[in-house]
Amino acid sequence: MGSSSTTLRRLKLGKLKIVRRRLLQHYEHQPFISLLAGLYSCRWKRYQRQKTEPGQCCCKWVLAVCLLSEGQRLYLHWSHKGGMLFVLIFFTAALAVLSNLWGEEWAAVRLSFQVTAPYLHIGSLAAMILLSWPVALYFVRMNTKLFQTLIITPYIAVLLVLIFLPLGMYSPCIKEKGTLGAKPLLIGHRGSPMFAPENTKMSFEKTIDYEGDGLETDVTISYDGIPFLMHDSTLKRTTNAGDVFPNYTNVNAALLPWDMLEILNAGKWFTQKPPFSYMESLTDEEEQTAMNQSIYKLIDLLRLADRAKKMVIFDLYRPPQDHPYRDTWINRTLEVINEAAIDPKLVLWLSNDMRSFVQSVNPGLQQTLGFKASIEELVSSHIVKLNLPYNEMSERDISEYAAANITTNLYVISEPWLFSLAWCSGAHSVTTNSVHTLKKMEEPMFLLTPDQYSLMWILTDVVSALLIILVFVLHWWRERGLPCCPESSEVPDSGFYNTFKTEMDMSISEDSYVRSLPTTPSARPSTQNMGSGEIA
C-alpha cells in the first residue's frame, strides 16, 4: 500500500514537472533566427528562446556563429555543404573572369565613388544601423567579457571609420557656388550610333540635329588613295561585304579600291544587329534611311562639318604593308583637308606621326595629343588639346593643363553620372554616344556645396549614433529583464507557492535533462512518455 502510494505520488510529481516545463519553455516565431536556420539547413520552425552558453561561438561560418549564439543546434545537410562549395568556386571564377574582361568598367566603378561617396556614406551607416540589431543581441547574450569584446570591437571599429570617413572624402562635385566651369562640349562618337549606323552620313547628321559640338570618326585610306571612314580593319561587321565580296570579308579594308567600297551597304547591319541594348527607337522613315547608307568619304564629312561649323577629330590609320600610300598617308590626308576647304581651326589633328611636317603644311590645324605629357613638352609641340580616355580623368591634371591653355577632351562618356564627373572636373569636351541625352543636362548630378555636404554627413552621423545606442539599450533592457513597470503587490497563494518552490528545488538536478529537450514544439515527447520515464 505504501509502495503504491509512493508510486502514485511520483507519477503526479512527474506530470506536474512536465506541465511546469512546458509553461517555462517559451516558444515564439523569431524571424531573424528562422531565416538563419532556414538558410543554413532548411528548417523553418519556431525556436525556443534561450541564452547563449559559453564556448558555443567557435564556428568559423557566419550563419553557424549566429545560430550558435542563439543557442540553436546545427543541422547542415550535405547538399548545403556542396551548394556552398559550388557557390564559392563559381563566384571566385566569375570575379576573376570579369576582372579580366571588364577592366574599363572597373575603372568606371572606381570613378563612381567620387560622385556617389557622400550618398554611399549615408547608405553604409544605414546598413550599420540594421546590423546593430543582431550585434547588440549577441553582445548582450554573451556570458563572458571575452566573447562580448570579440563581437563589439570590429563593429565599433568599422562604425568609427564610417563616421569619420567624410573628413577625408574627396569629390569634384563638392564645390562652392560660382566655381563650376562651363558645360563640356559634346563630340559625337562616330556620329550618333544610337540613332544611325556609325560613321555614315545619317549618323553625323543626327549629331548635328541634336546640336552636338563636334564629330569624331576613324579614317582609313583605300588602295587608290581615297580617305574613307571605317573603324574596323575589315568590312565584316559594318557592311554587307560578306554577300557582295565573300572572298574579301576578312581582308584589310585599305587593300580594296574605292570603286569596290562605294557599292557596299553600310546600314543594313544596324537594323539586323543593333549595336546597343538600349538603343532609341526609329521611325519607319528613319529605319529605311539607315538601311540605305553607304561608306562615307572623309572629304564629305569635312564639308558637312564646315557647313555646320562643327569640330572634327579623327584617328588616322596607317595603311598596311605593300599599300601604295604606306609612306605618304599623311600627305594624302592633308591634301583632302585642303581640298575640302574647311576652316582648319575646326580640325583637331590627332595623329602624332610627322607632326612637325603637318604644322608646316597647315599651321591652322588644332594640334591634339592622345596621351599625357609634361606641360613643357606639350607647349614646345604646340599642342592645344589632349584627347584622353575617361579613366585617366583627374581634376588636378585638367586644371594644370587648362592653366597652360591646353584643353582636355575625354572619351567615351555616355552616362549622365560620368558626364557630371567630367563637368565637375573641368573637362573642356567629351566624346559621347549620347549627345541627345547629355545635351539636355543643365547641371551636374550630385552637385553639392561644402556647407550642404557638411550638414548632410554630420546629421547622418548623429542620427545613426543615436539609433545604434537606442538599439543596444533596448536589447540590454529586454535580455536583462529590467522591469518597465512597478511589480504587482498581489501575494500568490501560499500553498501553490510552496508547491512551486518545492518543484523548483527538485528540478535543479534535472537541468541537463531540460536543456536536452527538443527546440521545436513538434519534437517534444508526449506527457505519457515523460511520466513513464519518471516512474522508471
Side-chain angles (χ1 to χ4, degrees), residues 285-336:
E285 182 180 355
E286 289 175 330
E287 187 171 338
Q288 190 64 33
T289 302
M291 293 178 63
N292 288 282
Q293 294 298 300
S294 58
I295 296 178
Y296 208 38
K297 292 194 293 186
L298 174 62
I299 191 171
D300 294 329
L301 172 65
L302 295 175
R303 288 169 176 168
L304 175 65
D306 188 57
R307 291 194 300 269
K309 301 303 178 185
K310 303 298 181 183
M311 296 183 296
V312 176
I313 181 172
F314 54 86
D315 283 310
L316 179 59
Y317 300 148
R318 186 177 185 180
Q321 294 289 344
D322 300 326
H323 191 285
Y325 291 87
R326 167 73 177 177
D327 298 321
T328 58
W329 86 108
I330 297 290
N331 308 63
R332 180 63 187 131
T333 304
L334 291 174
E335 291 174 1
V336 171

Side-chain angles (χ1 to χ4, degrees), residues 3-138:
S3 176
S4 299
S5 173
T6 302
T7 301
L8 181 61
R9 184 166 59 84
R10 287 181 178 177
L11 178 61
K12 290 181 177 179
L13 287 176
K15 291 182 177 180
L16 182 59
K17 290 177 181 179
I18 298 300
V19 173
R20 178 178 58 77
R21 290 190 187 110
R22 290 181 177 177
L23 290 175
L24 294 179
Q25 290 176 350
H26 177 56
Y27 294 92
E28 63 181 16
H29 287 287
Q30 300 183 65
F32 182 71
I33 305 305
S34 298
L35 175 63
L36 291 176
L39 293 175
Y40 192 81
S41 60
C42 289
R43 292 171 174 256
W44 307 89
K45 299 179 180 180
R46 294 186 302 161
Y47 289 88
Q48 178 182 353
R49 277 190 64 187
Q50 309 181 22
K51 292 185 180 180
T52 305
E53 295 188 10
Q56 287 187 326
C57 224
C58 58
C59 186
K60 64 180 179 180
W61 298 102
V62 175
L63 292 178
V65 168
C66 296
L67 287 170
L68 287 174
S69 299
E70 289 293 331
Q72 306 300 322
R73 295 180 61 185
L74 303 180
Y75 299 95
L76 184 61
H77 194 266
W78 66 267
S79 61
H80 286 75
K81 297 177 182 179
M84 292 170 63
L85 180 62
F86 172 78
V87 170
L88 178 63
I89 295 175
F90 174 80
F91 277 101
T92 302
L95 185 61
V97 172
L98 292 179
S99 298
N100 184 44
L101 296 179
W102 291 0
E104 187 173 333
E105 283 72 11
W106 285 123
V109 172
R110 176 180 56 82
L111 288 173
S112 70
F113 292 143
Q114 293 188 18
V115 291
T116 60
Y119 306 92
L120 291 176
H121 172 245
I122 297 176
S124 60
L125 284 179
M128 294 299 289
I129 293 173
L130 295 177
L131 188 60
S132 68
W133 188 269
V135 169
L137 179 62
Y138 303 148

Side-chain angles (χ1 to χ4, degrees), residues 360-425:
S360 64
V361 173
N362 196 334
L365 298 178
Q366 303 297 298
Q367 296 298 321
T368 305
L369 190 63
F371 53 88
K372 288 183 179 180
S374 66
I375 293 179
E376 292 76 13
E377 292 175 325
L378 297 176
V379 172
S380 64
S381 299
H382 305 284
I383 302 297
V384 297
K385 182 181 283 292
L386 289 175
N387 186 54
L388 304 174
Y390 71 81
N391 55 12
E392 296 185 14
M393 186 186 318
S394 168
E395 183 182 20
R396 184 182 65 179
D397 290 344
I398 292 174
S399 177
E400 290 178 355
Y401 288 134
N405 294 320
I406 300 171
T407 59
T408 305
N409 179 73
L410 301 174
Y411 66 91
V412 172
I413 293 178
S414 300
E415 296 78 13
W417 73 264
L418 193 54
F419 178 68
S420 299
L421 182 59
W423 189 346
C424 294
S425 298

